[in-house]
Amino acid sequence: MATFENISITEDARLLLEKTRRDGVETVWQRHDAQQPQCGYCETGLSCRICIMGPCRIDPFGEGPQRGVCGADADIIVARNLCRMIAAGAASHSDHGRDLVEVLAAVAAGKAPGYRIRDEQKLKSVAAEYGVETDGKDTLAIAAEVADAMMEDYGMRRKSLTLLSRAPEKRRQLWEKIGVTPRGIDRETSEMMHRTHMGVDNGWQSLLLQGLRNALSDGWGGSMIATEVSDILFGVPSPKATTVNVGVLREDQVNIVVHGHNPVVSEMILKACESPDLLALAREKGAAGINLAGVCCTGNELLMRHGIPMAGNHLMTELVLSTGAVEMMLVDYQCIMPSLGTIAGCYHTRMISTSDKARFPGMEHREFHPDNAEKMAAELVREAVENFTRRKQVYIPVQPVNAVGGFSVEAIVGALGGTPEPLLDAIKAGKIRGAVGIVGCNNPKIKHDYGHVTLSRRLIENDILVVDTGCVSVATAKAGLKVPEAIEMAGPGLKEVCGALGIPPVLHLGSCVDNVRILVLASALADALGVDISDLPLAGAAPEWYSEKAATIGTYFVASGVYTVLGPMPPVTGSANVVGLLTEGLNDVVGATFAVEPDPEKAAMLIRRHIEGKRKALGLSSVEV
Amino acid sequence: MKQVVVHPERCVGCMQCMVACAVAHSRSGQLYTALAERPRPRPRVHVGAGLYNEGFPNRCRHCDPAPCLLACLAGAIFRDAHTGTVLIDPDKCINCASCAMACPYGVIRFHEDPVAPPGKTVAVKCDNCDQRVAQGLAPACTEACKSGALTYEEMDEAMRRKTAEVARSVSTGAETAAVPPALALLMAVKKAELSL
Amino acid sequence: MQHVILGNGIAGVSAAEAIRRMDPRAGITMISDEQTVPYSRPMISMLLDGSAAPEQLPIRAERFYEDLGVTALLGKRVDAIDLQARRVALAGRAPVPFDRLLIATGADARRVEAQNDGLQNIFTMRRREDVQAMLAALGGTRRALVLGGGLVGFKAAYGLMKRGCRVTMLITSAYPLSMQVDETAGKMILDELLHHGLEVRVGVSVTAFEGRTSVSGAQLSDGGKVACDMVVIGKGVTPALDFVPLDRIDVDLGIRVDKHLETGAEGVYAAGDVAQCTDIARGRPWINAIWPEAAAQGRTAGMNMAGRAVAYRGSLGRNVMRVFDLDVMTLGLVDPPDDGTCTALTWQDPRRRMYRKLVLRENVPVGAVLINAVEQGGVLLSLIRNRAPLAIPPERLLEPSFNVRQLMGWG
């Protein structure tokens, strides 16, 4: 294993890594080391486990087998594998969205005590988009109809997804022309799995096109529904001050950490943490209070709406436990390492799994459903408080860093004075060169947070506005880029604009399903200019991505016309054709491509060059990069 | 005489040689049943990671003179006069690890083995699949390797081929690169990741 | 050409074989006070702990001397070397003439200065018969006292514990094997031994033994007493060179030799535990009294004696041992002097009970300690031997994933 300095740029990670070594706790980095070398067939996408005439692999050197048993060549195998990644990512986000729609329906039916419609305004505007009549109807009736209409989006009755209407006209026409307009959320995933079955679609180009459509069904479908319904149920985010890093855990309080993605569980936990009874119990047990903190995206959901502090991102989840300061960690699903139960076992931390679809070794399973969530949350917070007395030595080695989160599109437009015009003017004037959405995960292949923070710094230095989500947002917040004073690190133009608005140069847009807020923002800008998204000086980046969900996000970004730079290489290099299509050919298809560049310094150059190129094409001032 | 030749630049790190080796040295000789055997058969070729996590199939070179053979306290390591293979007699081995201290390649392991007396930990390493070869088969690792990192061939032939490859790759307008471009791209990305 | 070899340990045996390979007709005489076919001396401790059987000890066939065409004079100890007349004198036998002479007499175990040290069941552990006598006495042994925590003391204690004895060990340092390992490794070894029931007394020595015919206890320098029915003395060895004419052959720690292993006297060579060579890691004269170096020196001396000038590159201390559930390997200089010439890097994984240490002198590895997962030790040894500066970050060498491929650099 490399030294701790080579593992993470963050002080809390380094100090806690030292502690895990002292405590004999195995972390993701050691397991990554133990996996080296990783299988080259799998890394290149050249292994196929789809059927049991195989498994097969293609020799990348050209001497060994060049076709699988079925006859699939490298192009087909690589395309099928990539498409299955996209399908899995789309399924994950969209299933998360489905769970929210079910809660919305349960609220409407009066079967979800504790949950309510927090933002009627948003409900009504979404209802309008779904063509649901709102006049004279009570809120719950509208909610029921909206939930119903959303369920239709998951099915097979529609010719195209409802929320595609948010995309610029030109983009929708392009999708129609190349045949990638997503019809039903589950349908596209299902069809993707069908097409990649042995003996179905063996055109690597047509497979990849369905991959685009499947990703779009997530970005403009499942994920977008997840975000919209979350806003309806829990409120549209607005800027909130908060704190980040492991220092947000409190030595004198009961620490409860929520981990996972869906606010359905964490919102109820938050409510319970504010209960006077339980606060009294905490004081009785010798604690000064109950401190709720987040890791991963469910934390981001709470941060966006309530300013709840974030203890860390994906690669911090094990280290947070090693503080010995966590009374209880509650998880729902996605990105929860199955190692957590074992690590918690080294401390007094109780681990609770809450979703009927996600179980983990070493965790106690306490299932949350809309009808029992409020009660279950209270029970569990009580147990967490009771666990405070079992706490042993605590190690919280850093002080928390301030940050501001909560920039929904509504909040950004609000900060701009109710219209995107000021932002467009700043872009036209060249004060802001463009905007970049930095998204995605952590990956032990990349020095923890280095990609996110370095890229963000380079972009704001060069007057490029950064919006981020998910694990990136924690990284940049820890690095101090998410306070208004961070404009000192920005270039003069961006500094002026953000300074005038009183906002940081790096805006926290939410969790990983909230990447759709970036799509909505980009569409608003494109519409205001009367162009397509692909004409805008925008880019996406996923400097430390690891998950199938991230593969899907990257794909819907590109399919929506956003040039996207990946850090780690996706498993595609076994096919020069697929690589060529993704990095060049797609430009002619959707007006955007992927690039791969693990070094964030170089990625920043690629992005600046792209943005200046787009500016030039729009007739705006541009510089040579 | 044919021998196992290692071409490290072709190793993709899939570890299939390790699986094939363990199976070849199991009692049953079949993957699915071998997994249930006790002691569990283990590989004698070890895929390690290079500095940028590239694969490397590390196996016994059957050195001559062999440092392990010279270091063996119990006289358990010997060279087969016919094949030149350096072998370890599990009945004589006393598990003292002197050979591990002598081996400059780090290819000797210590564990129970299907061919050792039951319950006895012994030094184990590559035996060139002498038994398979005697039956006219190729060593298991070379049979499993589909990327050409482990081949079973005449050394002269391997050298000739390698010389030709090098010559092609340095001559201008070479038609075939030593490493395919897409794979070279992956390697470059992995190097870049590690050098952050 | 008449070759005479004094000693039938691994140095002498290797020399005889090297000479014979070079010169099928040379006369070779081997003289030894041990009356057996050559056996593996390091294995006598495995005989004690039960991991090796007596019949596994011989390293050569029963007819070794005959097959090699060697005249063996066994059970004889050399009295003197007459360099003028070029012959060696033996008690009760005519002198043996030589053209080339190899002194490979090894070393003898040191005794202790204590009263009643002639009692029965007080042993040193150097030869096979020592261990055989210990094994014979084992039936009546419940408590054993081991003097010294060096290699012999440690191996005696370990072997006797494996045989079910209660063992008390008297050591001068705070942990055993202080000449072989560093403090961290030493403490890990000590913990392992204590965990398995060893009693350790630090900083005390024996002043007198008690008992009628057989030892029953020992009086200690701190006034205390230890009851014991067996004593093993592991207080190191001294080179066996009392017959060497010190006026003609230079002796320091051992017999000084040049790079061809020739002493100051022409045609007279020395090899094995009796010879003082240059230590590769320390860069100065030293005796690394270990079996593989004795074999290498014997082989090299033999080739030089037979007329092929071969240089010996120096010796390197090293050891590997299994201590219950700890595997311990030490290579070269593991406890460097605190004079700023060396740097040490360490790595530890308490969960897997692994410890690794690398000692460097100006980026050249000169020593290493490995506890558990010792398989890559030979790679480190060859690096130390080659004395070449590292081309990769030294931390890499400590990692569990280290392997020989990484030495090839960023290929």
Side-chain angles (χ1 to χ4, degrees):
Chain A
M1 169 159 331
T3 55
F4 300 137
E5 280 68 31
N6 293 333
I7 288 179
S8 175
I9 62 164
T10 67
E11 195 193 358
D12 55 353
R14 290 175 183 175
L15 292 170
L16 286 169
L17 273 164
E18 260 175 55
K19 177 156 196 290
T20 56
R21 177 145 307 169
R22 284 200 299 277
D23 292 355
V25 167
E26 183 189 75
T27 65
V28 57
W29 286 280
Q30 282 155 303
R31 296 192 298 272
H32 178 259
D33 264 8
Q35 281 292 338
Q36 301 310 318
Q38 286 167 308
C39 172
Y41 294 114
C42 301
E43 276 187 319
T44 52
L46 287 172
S47 56
C48 181
R49 291 181 294 111
I50 286 176
C51 86
I52 59 156
M53 291 195 291
C56 300
R57 65 268 196 236
I58 304 295
D59 173 17
F61 295 96
E63 281 175 25
Q66 292 302 295
R67 285 175 190 283
V69 176
C70 70
D73 59 14
D75 298 332
I76 297 170
I77 288 178
V78 167
R80 284 198 303 218
N81 287 335
L82 179 65
C83 286
R84 286 201 163 193
M85 274 190 95
I86 293 170
S92 307
H93 277 152
S94 301
D95 200 37
H96 165 166
R98 184 199 331 272
D99 285 341
L100 281 152
V101 175
E102 285 195 331
V103 173
L104 183 64
V107 168
K111 290 180 181 162
Y115 297 98
R116 63 189 174 91
I117 308 297
R118 195 92 50 112
D119 197 321
E120 286 186 32
Q121 190 67 40
K122 181 98 186 197
L123 174 65
K124 284 182 179 158
S125 72
V126 172
E129 289 180 276
Y130 272 90
V132 172
E133 188 61 51
T134 54
D135 281 350
K137 280 190 198 154
D138 82 34
T139 308
L140 292 186
I142 300 168
E145 282 186 52
V146 167
D148 224 40
M150 285 175 167
M151 288 174 188
E152 291 288 322
D153 269 345
Y154 278 87
M156 58 179 283
R157 289 181 188 273
R158 298 207 201 281
K159 294 263 184 294
S160 73
L161 297 180
T162 309
L163 297 176
L164 290 183
S165 59
R166 295 179 174 186
E169 178 66 27
K170 282 184 181 170
R171 184 64 17 190
R172 278 179 280 148
Q173 282 170 2
L174 183 144
W175 288 335
E176 202 56 45
K177 195 179 98 204
I178 60 172
V180 300
T181 302
R183 300 153 292 179
I185 297 164
D186 290 348
R187 173 181 189 161
E188 303 307 351
T189 297
S190 244
E191 182 169 325
M192 191 76 264
M193 296 306 286
H194 177 199
R195 285 196 191 212
T196 51
H197 187 280
M198 151 53 196
V200 185
D201 193 354
N202 288 286
W204 58 270
Q205 298 100 326
S206 51
L207 276 167
L208 290 173
L209 277 176
Q210 173 62 19
L212 298 187
R213 176 151 66 177
N214 194 180
L216 288 170
S217 79
D218 172 15
W220 298 86
S223 278
M224 201 168 273
I225 286 174
T227 293
E228 298 307 300
V229 176
S230 294
D231 285 358
I232 291 168
L233 287 173
F234 309 116
V236 175
S238 58
K240 297 271 184 320
T242 186
T243 52
V244 288
N245 81 24
V246 154
V248 306
L249 298 179
R250 299 286 299 269
E251 198 155 354
D252 60 346
Q253 296 196 13
V254 174
N255 291 307
I256 299 178
V257 176
V258 285
H259 178 8
H261 284 77
N262 203 320
V264 160
V265 171
S266 52
E267 285 277 348
M268 284 299 121
I269 297 294
L270 171 62
K271 215 173 147 193
C273 287
E274 290 163 348
S275 134
D277 285 1
L278 292 171
L279 285 166
L281 181 67
R283 280 190 293 275
E284 207 177 288
K285 298 284 173 191
I290 304 175
N291 179 41
L292 179 65
V295 292
C296 215
C297 277
T298 204
N300 278 320
E301 299 275 356
L302 291 183
L303 184 155
M304 289 288 284
R305 298 194 177 88
H306 309 282
I308 292 300
M310 282 291 277
N313 50 10
H314 174 56
L315 286 184
M316 291 297 298
T317 54
E318 295 179 317
L319 300 180
V320 164
L321 294 179
S322 74
T323 58
V326 181
E327 271 60 50
M328 182 177 282
M329 180 182 269
L330 297 110
V331 308
D332 50 39
Y333 43 55
Q334 298 171 14
C335 305
I336 293 148
M337 292 192 230
S339 61
L340 290 179
T342 313
I343 294 176
C346 301
Y347 307 96
H348 77 303
T349 308
R350 284 188 58 194
M351 296 296 300
I352 310 292
S353 54
T354 61
S355 163
D356 59 342
K357 51 190 97 168
R359 307 214 180 200
F360 303 87
M363 293 195 197
E364 202 179 321
H365 192 66
R366 305 279 285 273
E367 227 163 90
F368 275 62
H369 295 284
D371 58 346
N372 76 347
E374 188 177 34
K375 214 167 132 257
M376 181 68 86
E379 255 174 54
L380 284 166
V381 171
R382 174 177 296 276
E383 291 171 31
V385 170
E386 279 161 359
N387 197 27
F388 182 73
T389 53
R390 289 181 56 236
R391 197 191 262 192
K392 295 185 192 78
Q393 209 143 32
V394 166
Y395 180 64
I396 305 172
V398 293
Q399 290 298 317
V401 172
N402 289 326
V404 178
F407 290 94
S408 56
V409 175
E410 291 87 336
I412 294 172
V413 173
L416 294 168
T419 142
E421 278 306 323
L423 179 57
L424 278 175
D425 291 343
I427 290 173
K428 283 181 194 160
K431 287 180 184 167
I432 295 180
R433 313 301 302 173
V436 174
I438 309 183
V439 306
C441 336
N442 291 138
N443 186 327
K445 289 183 161 68
I446 305 268
K447 187 195 284 190
H448 171 234
D449 285 357
Y450 175 75
H452 299 327
V453 172
T454 310
L455 181 60
S456 301
R457 280 184 198 278
R458 292 300 164 268
L459 294 178
I460 62 171
E461 274 166 22
N462 289 287
D463 289 326
I464 293 168
L465 178 70
V466 171
V467 297
D468 62 14
T469 61
C471 288
V472 188
S473 62
V474 183
T476 55
K478 277 167 80 168
L481 300 178
K482 282 213 168 81
V483 285
E485 302 78 60
I487 55 170
E488 296 305 327
M489 288 181 258
L494 184 62
K495 180 178 171 179
E496 186 195 320
V497 176
C498 292
L501 295 168
I503 59 171
V506 178
L507 300 179
H508 189 338
L509 260 64
S511 65
C512 52
V513 290
D514 289 338
N515 284 316
V516 300
R517 298 192 199 272
I518 299 175
L519 297 180
V520 172
L521 185 61
S523 299
L525 295 177
D527 284 343
L529 281 176
V531 297
D532 194 356
I533 295 174
S534 55
D535 300 320
L536 295 171
L538 300 181
E544 304 180 26
W545 76 285
Y546 91 89
S547 75
E548 291 163 318
K549 291 185 296 169
T552 314
I553 295 167
T555 307
Y556 72 61
F557 266 32
V558 169
S560 301
V562 181
Y563 170 72
T564 298
V565 182
L566 305 176
M569 176 66 88
V572 296
T573 55
S575 161
N577 282 332
V578 172
V579 171
L581 182 77
L582 296 179
T583 57
E584 287 169 28
L586 277 180
N587 229 343
D588 300 331
V589 185
V590 292
T593 62
F594 284 101
V596 177
E597 178 50 67
D599 182 344
E601 302 278 1
K602 293 180 186 156
M605 295 301 284
L606 289 177
I607 288 171
R608 287 179 55 207
R609 207 169 291 149
H610 170 80
I611 281 178
E612 293 299 335
K614 290 293 175 188
R615 291 185 62 87
K616 195 172 177 186
L618 283 171
L620 302 176
S621 68
S622 70
V623 293
E624 283 293 311
V625 179
Chain B
M1 195 172 66
K2 279 189 178 181
Q3 53 182 298
V4 178
V5 186
V6 180
H7 310 272
E9 73 284 1
R10 289 185 171 237
C11 178
V12 299
C14 69
M15 303 192 185
Q16 297 204 24
C17 53
M18 292 173 67
V19 175
C21 178
V23 172
H25 293 91
S26 67
R27 285 206 191 88
S28 62
Q30 299 294 326
L31 175 64
Y32 303 110
T33 43
L35 290 174
E37 289 177 21
R38 295 293 178 274
R40 187 172 282 183
R42 300 212 212 170
R44 296 155 180 234
V45 56
H46 310 281
V47 175
L51 287 182
Y52 61 95
N53 289 336
E54 75 279 24
F56 177 65
N58 200 10
R59 66 189 287 285
C60 175
R61 275 67 163 178
H62 302 278
C63 311
D64 192 6
C68 61
L69 191 156
L70 293 172
C72 180
L73 298 182
I77 305 184
F78 63 103
R79 187 184 302 279
D80 184 283
H82 178 61
T83 60
T85 301
V86 175
L87 296 165
I88 302 177
D89 181 340
D91 291 305
K92 284 192 176 172
C93 175
I94 54 170
N95 183 32
C96 67
S98 294
C99 50
M101 193 161 68
C103 175
Y105 300 104
V107 296
I108 303 171
R109 298 290 180 276
F110 302 87
H111 49 76
E112 291 181 40
D113 193 79
V115 300
K120 186 182 176 190
T121 295
V122 293
V124 182
K125 67 167 197 69
C126 166
D127 59 2
N128 269 336
C129 277
D130 278 358
Q131 289 187 7
R132 284 174 58 96
V133 170
Q135 294 162 24
L137 298 168
C141 58
T142 66
E143 202 176 78
C145 184
K146 291 288 175 275
S147 68
L150 293 164
T151 58
Y152 186 55
E153 57 188 328
E154 300 287 342
M155 191 46 128
D156 289 352
E157 173 56 29
M159 296 301 282
R160 253 199 303 281
R161 203 157 40 82
K162 181 121 294 184
T163 310
E165 258 172 35
V166 172
R168 266 205 308 278
S169 68
V170 297
S171 65
T172 49
E175 282 167 25
T176 50
V179 174
L183 200 64
L185 179 66
L186 175 66
M187 290 301 172
V189 167
K190 288 172 74 173
K191 267 190 206 179
E193 284 171 4
L194 281 164
S195 55
L196 293 180
Chain C
M1 183 74 78
Q2 279 301 321
H3 296 275
V4 171
I5 297 170
L6 309 182
N8 72 340
I10 187 65
V13 168
S14 302
E17 288 172 337
I19 294 168
R20 181 55 76 224
R21 225 175 5 254
M22 307 276 305
D23 183 353
R25 281 185 299 279
I28 305 175
T29 303
M30 290 183 81
I31 302 170
S32 170
D33 61 345
E34 285 195 275
Q35 302 219 30
T36 56
V37 283
Y39 64 88
S40 177
R41 193 179 302 283
M43 279 175 71
I44 64 169
S45 60
M46 293 152 195
L47 196 57
L48 179 64
D49 70 31
S51 63
E55 63 272 16
Q56 286 182 287
L57 260 59
I59 51 169
R60 296 295 183 269
E62 199 67 45
R63 287 175 46 84
F64 167 72
Y65 301 110
E66 293 89 325
D67 290 350
L68 203 63
V70 166
T71 308
L73 303 176
L74 303 181
K76 311 271 186 236
R77 218 170 159 113
V78 177
D79 283 338
I81 303 171
D82 185 342
L83 288 170
Q84 216 82 51
R86 298 193 83 70
R87 59 191 192 186
V88 293
L90 302 178
R93 198 189 180 285
V96 183
F98 65 83
D99 297 309
R100 299 273 188 280
L101 176 69
L102 175 66
I103 305 170
T105 41
D108 294 319
R110 261 196 216 113
R111 301 287 300 190
V112 284
E113 300 282 323
Q115 286 174 9
N116 301 326
D117 65 348
L119 287 169
Q120 282 176 24
N121 289 355
I122 299 180
F123 300 101
T124 56
M125 201 169 103
R126 175 71 189 165
R127 295 156 177 255
R128 180 161 74 174
E129 57 257 34
D130 297 333
V131 171
Q132 281 168 331
M134 287 166 72
L135 289 174
L138 208 57
T141 304
R142 277 186 302 279
R143 295 200 50 159
L145 177 67
V146 172
L147 311 185
L151 264 181
V152 169
F154 157 75
K155 290 195 167 176
Y158 179 68
L160 291 168
M161 287 167 76
K162 279 262 179 181
R163 292 284 185 176
C165 299
R166 277 181 65 189
V167 180
T168 303
M169 190 190 231
L170 307 187
I171 56 180
T172 39
S173 311
Y175 52 87
L177 298 171
S178 59
M179 296 292 284
Q180 279 77 28
V181 301
D182 68 335
E183 186 175 348
T184 309
K187 293 263 168 72
M188 289 174 79
I189 295 169
L190 180 62
D191 285 348
E192 184 73 3
L193 292 170
L194 293 176
H195 175 72
H196 283 86
L198 179 75
E199 283 174 43
V200 172
R201 308 280 299 268
V202 176
V204 283
S205 54
V206 170
T207 53
F209 294 106
E210 294 175 341
R212 284 162 174 257
T213 54
S214 188
V215 69
S216 65
Q219 295 174 10
L220 306 181
S221 56
D222 63 357
K225 278 189 186 182
V226 178
C228 58
D229 28 38
M230 180 186 286
V231 173
V232 184
I233 302 169
K235 302 300 283 182
V237 295
T238 46
L241 42 67
D242 50 359
F243 53 89
V244 172
L246 298 176
D247 54 334
R248 296 287 309 279
I249 293 177
D250 202 4
V251 171
D252 179 21
L253 304 166
I255 298 171
R256 280 194 180 161
V257 291
D258 64 13
K259 66 179 177 182
H260 298 297
L261 298 170
E262 195 169 7
T263 68
E266 202 194 331
V268 178
Y269 295 76
D273 296 358
V274 78
Q276 169 183 309
C277 301
T278 301
D279 183 294
I280 291 176
R282 290 179 172 82
R284 59 190 174 89
W286 201 263
I287 300 178
N288 284 307
I290 56 172
W291 203 72
E293 291 296 6
Q297 289 168 18
R299 214 160 39 238
T300 309
M303 285 193 270
N304 283 301
M305 290 163 75
R308 183 172 161 214
V310 176
Y312 177 68
R313 293 166 67 194
S315 71
L316 191 65
R318 57 191 183 275
N319 262 293
V320 60
M321 52 212 129
R322 305 208 188 254
V323 190
F324 295 107
D325 291 328
L326 286 186
D327 297 340
V328 181
M329 191 182 287
T330 94
L331 309 166
L333 187 59
V334 301
D335 234 350
D338 198 13
D339 57 4
T341 58
C342 293
T343 51
L345 303 169
T346 60
W347 181 93
Q348 229 168 337
D349 182 348
R351 199 172 51 90
R352 286 181 280 185
R353 291 224 288 164
M354 283 172 68
Y355 170 64
R356 290 180 172 199
K357 176 178 185 175
L358 181 69
V359 180
L360 298 151
R361 185 182 287 128
E362 283 166 10
N363 206 33
V364 177
V366 293
V369 184
L370 300 172
I371 292 197
N372 283 345
V374 298
E375 291 85 357
Q376 301 303 315
V379 183
L380 299 179
L381 180 76
S382 69
L383 281 176
I384 296 169
R385 272 236 181 90
N386 293 341
R387 284 181 280 194
L390 285 179
I392 65 171
E395 298 81 20
R396 301 291 305 219
L397 275 59
L398 297 174
E399 290 172 25
S401 57
F402 171 71
N403 64 71
V404 69
R405 173 70 177 89
Q406 300 182 349
L407 295 176
M408 300 176 196
W410 300 85

